[in-house]
Amino acid sequence: DFDTLCHLIQRYREAISCFVCMSTYEHLDSALKKLAGLGVEISSHAYIHHVYHSYRQNKRNIEKAEVLLKRYVPEVVGFAGPHGKWHPTLERVLEERGYRYSSEFGLDYDNFPFHLTRRHDQHHVLHVPTHPVCEGIFLERHGYDEEMIDQYFGAVIDFYSKKQMPIFLYGH
């Protein structure tokens, strides 16, 4: 539940970023105010939970989310691709709007953060690849319980810790 989540966020806020899909949260003012009050970074997960092939649609989706998010945060610096997706037109919008980073697993996953390069030009948006599995995938299927989910993520964390790799997980 949201209160339990807020307790965890408060405890680990230095290591957590919250990406908000604004079509879901635009009318949940108290929830967004509570998140902002915890001092955690709040960034964009778009307005509509979708990554388009069209530059114009991605731009409209990102801008609408930004306008709403700026009621709660002074600056929107990060973006998480809905469904973990990435597209070159999305990259263009993020670059033009000055985003510092984007997190997804459609471009790369379980790897070090990186910048895309085009010819001799480096993009400004830092890409932070996440692990491509969240607890929601387990919960959507029958037969998985919390212990199995804990075992899975424990194994992932142990594996990447031993390799001294960064660990970026996401949840829904």
Side-chain angles (χ1 to χ4, degrees), residues 34-49:
K34 187 168 184 173
L35 276 179
L38 294 173
V40 69
E41 177 193 339
I42 303 172
S43 283
S44 180
H45 197 41
Y47 179 77
I48 301 294
H49 195 261

Side-chain angles (χ1 to χ4, degrees), residues 3-145:
D3 289 331
T4 302
L5 178 63
C6 286
H7 176 72
L8 289 171
I9 289 170
Q10 187 171 19
R11 188 171 169 193
Y12 299 106
R13 72 176 156 257
E14 293 84 14
I16 292 177
S17 295
C18 294
F19 298 92
V20 180
C21 181
M22 288 308 295
S23 63
T24 302
Y25 282 88
E26 72 177 310
H27 299 296
L28 298 173
D29 188 61
S30 61
L32 290 170
K33 283 181 179 175
K34 187 168 184 173
L35 276 179
L38 294 173
V40 69
E41 177 193 339
I42 303 172
S43 283
S44 180
H45 197 41
Y47 179 77
I48 301 294
H49 195 261
H50 189 76
V51 172
Y52 299 93
H53 291 268
S54 158
Y55 165 82
R56 188 175 50 80
Q57 287 176 299
N58 280 325
K59 184 175 181 187
R60 187 177 319 131
N61 197 18
I62 302 288
E63 287 176 343
K64 189 167 185 177
E66 274 180 33
V67 167
L68 295 168
L69 275 170
K70 287 183 177 177
R71 295 178 186 168
Y72 307 95
V73 296
E75 183 181 23
V76 182
V77 299
F79 182 81
H83 304 288
K85 291 183 179 179
W86 175 88
H87 193 272
T89 61
L90 173 65
E91 179 78 12
R92 182 175 156 206
V93 172
L94 297 176
E95 283 283 323
E96 289 174 357
R97 305 221 35 95
Y99 279 77
R100 292 187 197 139
Y101 72 94
S102 176
S103 188
E104 66 279 315
F105 51 83
L107 183 59
D108 193 12
Y109 62 91
D110 291 343
N111 208 345
F112 290 99
F114 62 94
H115 288 94
L116 289 174
T117 55
R118 178 180 40 228
R119 295 194 179 135
H120 301 290
D121 184 30
Q122 184 177 19
H123 289 222
H124 300 287
V125 175
L126 178 69
H127 287 273
V128 182
T130 62
H131 185 69
V133 178
C134 76
E135 85 294 346
I137 290 171
F138 288 99
L139 296 173
E140 288 174 356
R141 296 175 179 224
H142 298 289
Y144 287 99
D145 59 27

